[in-house]
């Protein structure tokens, strides 16, 4: 720590400069604009806290926030559940392990926008045809109600992200010392007990990372939302990021949207930091 | 020790900065030198939104450059309504302001007012058809020049109508339309139809802007400025509005709330699975992409009847205007005006406007016989016969048509909202936006 001489700062400078230019400065500008009546064209004048007062009174924003929260809870659970299950599956001694890993990871390589359009086709066309064929009416008219739209998004998101989260779990699962598992086995622990009492605590750090990634990604979701449902029907599947975009560019209220974005940033930061803090405390050192 | 370490650091930093500066200054020399050489040349940067005629427009600009060696025209095209607005703002924010850009209507004019040059003295402004300049005129100053005219209504499949024994000419009222729809619906199987209509309630611009405009325009005396200045909207012809919406929804492929433009035009209408769609002449290209024959000979347009008002008219308006940036120096503004004048009033320009761009002209002195697209031709005929309704949706409060009314219509067609609630909520949102 005491080695922070000139060289230290000199080598750090480019990174710090880049960070300041592309993250800190825009953020500061954004906060500044949220206190003005900027519309993207004219020079702004100061309006104080006006936008922040109007913000929570707006039904659309509250609806979007509530929808996003529900979506995040469901998808964080689903993604981690499937991610861990897949990881457990491919760390068993199967011959097809490597191929399976690749297959499970692949959805993550496709861009969110394209994925949205592909799944839109699956939900509206394939589901409808299958539903007609086997006579299940629930499969028809997907994406045209709030409930089906919600689950469509959750399915898409877990399908895409589970493979990525799987990789994280794999790396920790493979780090679990075999001696410990063997010792437990000799002591008479069955496979569930071995997982719950030995493996689970040791992969706790993986939960910290995975939960953080899934939580913040689900909260900030935009492209999948845009291409799959477009917020429809009647804006009932509109998530916060999309609501902010629409406020800015469709309703042309740039500064108001900026205020929403600042609040959104604070919410996501607060939740993620709390989660990391709680998880960190539960991690065990070997 | 310390000084020894410090020295190379300072030296390298100095070299870095010095080198950078030297690089910059030599670069500057070069550009200024070039600028001096052909200082007579004027560059006109155009930032426009219409993707459909991008190539044709670039060709004509090249032709203009050949004829006028001292003018250099650069065209940038960014398509789609919303995206264009955002892109234009970032273009201005970057300091790289275009000379010619596009504005939509009274709201845009109010937003951009400081950056709009007066175009009253151009020949194009004088040749513009009466009424087309309404939305961009402020204090007797003309701040924009119309691109072209566009119109929409109920586009129908001539072949299907013929087979069903319906004469489209007879449909000039709501009752006649309802009658025809019922006839078509009863013969659905024989005609190979999935449904009579295809109502794309997912596209809030089709319902919230275009459809609503037909029934709200009378309230504003067919004047976009009245709509822009109105503090309230009362849905005077709300019943007629409800009837048409219900008719389309009842006889449409379901669920309408997830039916989008591509499904409406390409999947259902172009393949003959739907007989009537509410759209405008801009769909010609989409239809031609599926069935060229249908696009060239098989489509016509019917009026959207407003019961108790005008039942035989279609809405015709100007989708976008050319604006010239008043921040630019006089020479550049003059060159921009000259180019626009040439485009719309010279013989060469006129030919391109009608034949290459396939526009419905918004200016006098054009030979209408040269319009090749059948929908465009019909719309021009409605326009010449005075059977038109104005486009007033450009005067709606920003975002109201799509984000408020369009969304409420989605709620209404999926049974989440009654018609009375729709009227009440939408009027409230309007009043709030105009407070």
């Amino acid at each position: 720590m005491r080695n922070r001489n000139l060289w230290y700062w000199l080598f750090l400078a480019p990174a710090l400069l880049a960070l300041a230019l592309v993250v800190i400065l825009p953020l500061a500008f954004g906060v500044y604009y949220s206190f003005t009546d900027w519309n993207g064209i004219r020079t702004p004048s100061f309006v104080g806290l006006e936008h922040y007062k109007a913000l929570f009174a707006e039904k659309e924003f509250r609806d979007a926030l509530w929808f996003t929260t529900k979506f995040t809870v469901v998808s964080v659970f689903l993604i981690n559940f499937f991610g861990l299950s897949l990881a457990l599956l491919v760390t068993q001694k199967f011959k097809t392990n490597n191929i399976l890993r690749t297959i499970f990871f692949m959805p993550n390589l496709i861009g969110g926008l394209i994925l949205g359009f592909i799944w839109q086709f699956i939900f509206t066309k394939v589901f409808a045809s299958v539903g007609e064929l086997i006579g299940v009416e629930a499969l028809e008219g997907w994406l045209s109600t709030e409930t089906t739209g919600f689950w469509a998004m959750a399915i898409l998101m877990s399908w895409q992200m589970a493979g990525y989260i799987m990789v994280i779990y794999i790396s920790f699962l493979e780090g679990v010392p075999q001696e410990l598992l063997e010792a437990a086995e000799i002591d008479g622990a069955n496979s569930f007990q071995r997982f719950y009492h030995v493996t689970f605590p040791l992969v706790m750090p993986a939960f910290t990372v995975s939960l953080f990634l899934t939580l913040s990604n689900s909260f900030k979701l935009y492209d999948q939302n845009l291409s799959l449902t477009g917020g429809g029907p009647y804006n009932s599947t509109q998530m916060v990021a999309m609501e902010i975009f629409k406020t800015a560019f469709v309703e042309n209220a740039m500064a108001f949207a900026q205020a929403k974005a600042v609040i959104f940033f604070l919410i996501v930061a607060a939740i993620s930091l709390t989660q990391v803090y709680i998880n960190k405390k539960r991690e065990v050192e070997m | 020790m310390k000084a020894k370490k410090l020295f190379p650091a300072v030296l390298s930093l100095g070299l870095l900065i010095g080198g950078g500066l030297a690089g910059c200054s030599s670069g500057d020399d070069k550009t200024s030198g070039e600028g001096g050489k052909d200082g007579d040349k004027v560059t006109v940067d155009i930032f426009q939104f219409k993707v459909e005629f991008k190539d044709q427009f670039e060709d004509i600009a090249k032709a203009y450059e050949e004829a006028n060696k001292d003018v250099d025209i650069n065209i940038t095209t960014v398509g789609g309504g919303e995206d264009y607005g955002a892109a234009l703002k970032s273009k201005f924010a970057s300091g790289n302001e275009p000379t010619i850009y596009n504005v939509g209507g009274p709201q845009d004019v109010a937003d951009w007012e400081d950056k709009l040059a007066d175009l009253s003295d151009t020949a194009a402004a004088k040749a513009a058809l009466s009424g087309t300049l309404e939305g961009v005129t402020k204090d007797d100053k003309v701040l924009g020049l119309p691109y072209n005219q566009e119109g929409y209504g109920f586009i129908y499949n001539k072949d299907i109508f013929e087979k069903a024994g319906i004469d489209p000419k007879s449909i000039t009222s709501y009752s006649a339309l309802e009658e025809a729809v019922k006839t078509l619906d009863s013969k659905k199987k024989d005609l190979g139809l999935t449904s009579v209509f295809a109502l794309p309630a997912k596209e809030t611009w089709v319902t919230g802007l275009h459809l609503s405009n037909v029934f709200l325009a009378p309230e504003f005396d067919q004047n976009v400025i009245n709509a822009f200045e109105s503090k309230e909207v009362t849905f005077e012809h709300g019943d007629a509005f409800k009837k048409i919406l219900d008719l389309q929804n009842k006889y449409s492929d379901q669920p309408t709330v997830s039916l989008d433009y591509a499904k409406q035009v390409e999947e259902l209408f172009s393949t003959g699975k739907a007989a009537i769609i509410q759209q405008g002449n801009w769909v010609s290209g989409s239809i031609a992409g599926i069935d060229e024959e249908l696009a060239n000979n098989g489509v016509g347009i019917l009026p959207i009847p407003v019961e108790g008002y005008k039942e035989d008219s279609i809405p015709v308006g100007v989708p976008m205007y050319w604006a010239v940036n008043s921040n630019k120096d006089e020479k550049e503004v003059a060159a921009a005006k000259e180019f626009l004048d040439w485009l719309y009033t010279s013989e060469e320009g006129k030919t391109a406007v009608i034949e290459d761009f396939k526009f419905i002209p918004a200016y006098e002195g054009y030979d209408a016989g040269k319009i090749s697209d059948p929908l465009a031709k019909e719309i021009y005929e409605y326009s010449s016969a005075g059977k038109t309704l104005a486009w007033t949706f450009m005067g709606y409060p920003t975002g109201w048509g799509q984000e408020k009314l369009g969304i409420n219509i989605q709620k209404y067609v999926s049974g989440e909202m009654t018609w009375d609630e729709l009227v009440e909520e939408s009027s409230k949102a309007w009043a709030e936006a105009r407070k």
Side-chain angles (χ1 to χ4, degrees):
Chain A
M1 275 305 186
R2 253 183 288 141
N3 287 337
R4 290 190 173 177
N5 57 18
L6 185 72
W7 284 109
Y8 174 86
W9 290 110
L10 205 65
F11 277 113
L12 199 60
L16 281 182
L17 192 72
L19 186 76
L21 279 180
V22 302
V23 178
I24 297 169
L25 214 60
L27 187 71
F29 265 110
V31 174
Y32 159 69
Y33 278 131
S34 73
F35 293 107
T36 66
D37 65 350
W38 189 55
N39 69 350
I41 305 165
R42 75 171 102 86
T43 358
S45 62
F46 209 65
V47 295
L49 284 170
E50 198 181 285
H51 294 312
Y52 288 93
K53 279 182 205 148
L55 197 142
F56 284 101
E58 201 192 66
K59 193 172 172 296
E60 270 163 38
F61 185 64
R62 273 185 290 136
D63 284 350
L65 206 55
W66 175 232
F67 182 82
T68 312
T69 313
K70 281 194 292 185
F71 171 78
T72 306
V73 171
V74 171
S75 45
V76 164
F77 174 78
L78 285 180
I79 295 168
N80 283 285
F81 176 77
F82 286 119
L84 184 58
S85 309
L86 293 177
L88 286 171
L89 186 77
V90 298
T91 44
Q92 305 301 315
K93 291 186 181 73
F94 292 141
K95 270 189 183 155
T96 49
N97 268 348
N98 282 331
I99 297 173
L100 282 179
R101 284 181 196 195
T102 317
I103 291 174
F104 294 146
F105 186 74
M106 236 149 37
N108 203 58
L109 300 174
I110 313 173
L113 266 180
I114 300 193
L115 259 189
F117 287 122
I118 295 172
W119 276 89
Q120 192 185 49
F121 172 78
I122 296 176
F123 285 125
T124 52
K125 300 278 151 62
V126 180
F127 270 41
S129 316
V130 170
E132 214 168 304
L133 209 67
I134 59 173
V136 179
E137 212 163 286
L139 288 177
E140 284 169 52
W142 270 63
L143 303 184
S144 65
T145 66
E146 187 181 347
T147 326
T148 51
F150 175 84
W151 286 105
M153 296 253 305
I155 291 171
L156 163 65
M157 188 66 177
S158 15
W159 187 75
Q160 184 184 16
M161 253 196 110
Y164 184 73
I165 296 303
M166 172 193 77
V167 176
I168 297 172
Y169 284 120
I170 289 175
S171 64
F172 280 87
L173 283 172
E174 284 181 339
V176 175
Q178 287 301 311
E179 311 88 272
L180 285 180
L181 289 170
E182 262 169 47
E185 201 176 354
I186 291 166
D187 286 342
N190 64 26
S191 62
F192 175 75
Q193 282 169 325
R194 260 175 295 158
F195 173 73
Y196 191 75
H197 293 288
V198 182
T199 312
F200 196 65
L202 285 174
V203 296
M204 213 56 208
F207 275 99
T208 313
V209 180
S210 311
L211 283 179
F212 174 76
L213 281 177
T214 47
L215 195 72
S216 55
N217 273 352
S218 309
F219 245 106
K220 297 184 302 184
L221 198 69
Y222 177 73
D223 35 3
Q224 287 90 336
N225 191 197
L226 179 77
S227 55
L228 187 66
T229 66
Y234 43 88
N235 283 355
S236 60
T237 62
Q238 179 170 264
M239 298 184 58
V240 181
M242 199 166 156
E243 213 277 319
I244 292 174
F245 179 85
K246 276 197 185 164
T247 310
F249 292 106
V250 182
E251 293 171 32
N252 208 18
M254 290 283 178
F256 188 40
Q258 197 60 57
K260 286 179 178 177
V262 170
I263 291 293
F264 185 45
F265 166 73
L266 291 178
I267 293 174
V268 177
I271 294 178
S272 316
L273 290 177
T274 320
Q275 173 263 324
V276 171
Y277 176 75
I278 294 172
N279 271 98
K280 275 273 181 210
K281 283 215 298 199
R282 297 183 56 191
E283 284 175 16
V284 288
E285 295 281 336
M286 272 230 296
Chain B
M1 254 326 242
K2 236 181 176 178
K4 246 187 190 171
K5 263 189 185 171
L6 198 66
F7 181 68
V10 173
L11 186 72
S12 53
L13 206 70
L15 279 175
L16 214 73
I17 295 169
L21 285 179
C24 282
S25 61
S26 69
D28 281 348
D29 281 349
K30 211 172 154 198
T31 42
S32 62
E34 258 177 15
K37 217 166 25 188
D38 30 37
D40 301 337
K41 202 152 185 168
V42 191
T43 309
V44 176
D45 288 309
I46 302 180
F47 195 70
Q48 70 100 22
F49 94 112
K50 215 171 176 55
V51 196
E52 303 95 285
F53 86 134
K54 178 175 172 286
D55 295 338
Q56 293 90 324
F57 189 46
E58 272 163 15
D59 289 345
I60 199 79
K62 221 166 270 160
Y64 184 76
E65 276 176 337
E66 303 261 296
N68 302 272
K69 290 283 183 209
D70 56 337
V71 184
D72 208 2
I73 297 178
N74 296 321
I75 301 174
T76 315
T77 304
V78 173
E82 287 161 32
D83 297 337
Y84 178 74
L88 185 64
K89 276 179 198 160
S90 28
K91 189 96 181 156
F92 270 88
S94 75
N96 193 3
E97 302 187 6
T99 324
I100 298 180
Y101 58 101
N102 300 149
V103 290
Q107 183 63 51
D108 273 3
V109 170
D111 285 346
W112 293 96
E113 211 183 341
D114 306 343
K115 299 176 195 293
L116 295 173
D118 183 6
L119 305 174
S120 328
D121 57 343
T122 56
K126 284 171 196 121
L129 294 179
S130 74
T132 52
L133 294 174
E134 244 163 34
V136 286
T137 308
K138 208 167 182 183
D139 310 327
D140 292 330
K141 274 192 222 157
V142 176
L143 301 173
L145 297 171
Y147 252 85
N148 61 344
Q149 293 195 86
E150 287 186 344
Y152 60 89
F154 286 129
I155 294 175
Y156 66 96
N157 186 320
K158 283 184 178 165
D159 215 32
I160 294 175
F161 268 56
E162 202 174 305
K163 273 186 205 151
I166 302 166
D167 175 21
K169 292 237 158 30
S170 70
I171 304 177
T172 48
S173 67
Y174 176 77
S175 47
L177 178 70
E178 197 180 7
E179 188 91 355
V181 170
K182 282 184 176 155
T183 314
L184 286 167
D185 190 59
S186 65
K187 296 178 182 171
K188 229 160 60 172
K189 276 225 172 81
D190 304 330
L191 298 170
L193 293 175
T194 333
S195 56
V196 181
F197 282 106
L199 171 68
K202 188 178 182 187
E203 307 288 2
T204 47
W205 56 273
V206 176
T207 53
L209 293 180
H210 287 173
L211 186 60
S212 72
N213 171 67
V214 180
F215 303 94
L216 296 183
E219 206 172 315
F220 306 120
D221 295 327
Q222 306 287 341
N223 186 317
V224 65
I225 295 290
N226 287 350
F228 182 60
E229 284 168 354
S230 174
K231 293 266 181 241
E232 53 165 23
V233 59
T234 55
F235 286 84
E236 214 176 284
H237 295 275
D239 292 337
F241 186 1
K242 179 176 184 292
K243 268 186 165 172
I244 291 279
L245 182 62
D246 285 344
L247 186 75
Q248 286 198 70
N249 191 35
K250 188 177 168 194
Y251 294 103
S252 167
D253 197 60
Q254 297 290 339
T256 50
V257 84
S258 57
L259 210 156
D260 60 9
Y261 176 84
K263 188 166 184 193
Q264 178 202 25
V265 178
E266 288 166 2
E267 213 183 306
L268 295 171
F269 185 75
S270 301
T271 56
K273 286 181 187 153
I276 314 172
I277 52 169
Q278 182 215 313
Q279 274 302 349
N281 56 300
W282 50 84
V283 296
S284 283
S286 306
I287 299 175
I290 309 278
D291 186 344
E292 187 122 28
E293 172 63 22
L294 179 68
N296 290 336
N297 301 309
V299 288
I301 196 160
L302 294 173
I304 302 180
V306 186
E307 243 189 338
Y309 185 70
K310 272 186 176 179
E311 303 201 42
D312 61 348
S313 302
I314 61 166
V316 176
V318 175
M320 212 65 166
Y321 296 87
W322 297 107
V324 175
N325 188 349
S326 57
N327 281 8
K328 295 282 178 180
D329 61 55
E330 262 170 56
K331 228 165 87 187
E332 219 175 303
V333 170
K337 285 182 184 174
E338 259 167 50
F339 172 66
L340 290 173
D341 270 347
W342 176 83
L343 182 64
Y344 285 108
T345 57
S346 76
E347 281 313 312
E348 205 181 344
K350 280 190 203 168
T351 314
V353 165
I354 275 203
E355 285 174 13
D356 301 336
F357 302 175
K358 300 201 191 313
F359 278 176
I360 306 172
Y363 299 90
E364 286 164 6
Y366 280 79
D367 180 8
K370 282 188 181 157
I371 303 177
S372 60
D373 178 63
L375 290 175
K377 206 176 233 164
E378 271 196 63
I379 288 162
Y380 194 79
E381 278 159 18
Y382 271 100
S383 179
S384 335
K387 287 184 187 172
T388 58
L389 293 156
W391 283 23
T392 54
F393 58 83
M394 301 277 198
Y396 290 176
T398 314
W400 181 81
Q402 286 190 264
E403 280 303 294
K404 296 293 187 301
L405 183 60
I407 293 297
N408 285 343
I409 288 174
Q410 289 187 338
K411 286 185 185 166
Y412 171 70
V413 297
S414 35
E416 295 279 322
M417 193 181 237
T418 66
W419 183 259
D420 289 338
E421 280 167 354
L422 178 144
V423 170
E424 193 188 327
E425 284 216 4
S426 309
S427 330
K428 216 173 79 189
W430 179 297
E432 241 159 62
R434 286 284 157 80
K435 229 181 344 201

